[in-house]
């Protein structure tokens, strides 16, 4: 069965969620959050993607992302984030295997007030 095409648009905000596998905590120590922020920053520059807001939990990461020029930059940013953090996490804790539950989820935020509503939701 083929995957459904992910809906994304340049210059539009997207709500993105990455979920970890149940047996791990994504951010067990402060240095792990620092590495994650570094990957956020590097990916934002490399893929021309703005990060409007984020929330990091022990088992998932929520992001409000806006690809500036090309819609496919959204997927490239998230792919790099998930790949680099997986490699870092597995090396750091001498483990192997996946840390993410399948593909990331994303929703295009359209309409008046959606970006604000999504930001408020992330903060609660």
């Amino acid at each position: 069965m083929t995957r459904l095409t992910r809906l994304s648009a340049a210059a539009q905000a997207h709500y993105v969620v990455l979920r970890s596998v149940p047996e791990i905590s994504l951010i067990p120590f402060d240095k792990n959050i620092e590495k994650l922020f570094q990957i956020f920053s590097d990916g934002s520059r490399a893929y021309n993607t703005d990060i409007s807001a984020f929330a990091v939990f022990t088992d998932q990461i929520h992001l409000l992302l806006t690809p500036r020029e090309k819609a496919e930059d959204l997927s490239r940013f998230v792919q790099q984030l998930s790949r680099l953090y997986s490699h870092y996490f597995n090396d750091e804790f001498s483990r192997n295997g996946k840390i993410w539950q399948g593909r990331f989820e994303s929703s295009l935020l359209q309409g008046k007030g959606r970006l604000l509503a999504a930001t408020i939701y992330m903060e609660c």
Side-chain angles (χ1 to χ4, degrees):
M1 185 172 171
T2 59
R3 291 182 176 175
L4 295 175
T5 302
R6 194 178 301 278
L7 177 63
S8 61
Q12 293 289 318
H14 298 72
Y15 192 97
V16 174
V17 179
L18 292 101
R19 297 182 197 288
S20 73
V21 293
E23 59 270 12
I24 67 165
S25 171
L26 287 172
I27 311 294
F29 303 107
D30 287 345
K31 67 179 180 175
N32 305 121
I33 195 79
E34 292 169 10
K35 179 63 175 180
L36 186 62
F37 291 165
Q38 177 188 348
I39 294 170
F40 283 177
S41 178
D42 294 346
S44 176
R45 280 192 301 278
Y47 295 105
N48 296 315
T49 300
D50 293 326
I51 304 170
S52 300
F54 61 86
V56 179
F57 303 97
T58 57
D59 63 343
Q60 54 192 293
I61 299 171
H62 294 231
L63 299 153
L64 286 178
L65 302 174
T66 305
R68 288 183 221 124
E69 298 171 12
K70 296 184 273 185
E72 60 268 15
D73 283 343
L74 175 79
S75 287
R76 290 186 178 133
F77 171 89
V78 179
Q79 287 167 0
Q80 177 177 301
L81 165 64
S82 61
R83 185 178 61 253
L84 292 178
Y85 195 71
S86 292
H87 287 275
Y88 163 77
F89 190 91
N90 284 338
D91 289 346
E92 182 71 19
F93 296 102
S94 301
R95 66 180 302 278
N96 53 20
K98 65 181 192 169
I99 68 169
W100 306 110
Q101 287 184 21
R103 298 173 72 196
F104 68 92
E105 301 168 27
S106 68
S107 299
L108 183 62
L109 298 177
Q110 295 179 306
K112 190 174 183 178
R114 295 286 174 117
L115 183 61
L116 178 59
T119 304
I120 292 169
Y121 173 77
M122 288 172 64
E123 291 291 324
C124 294

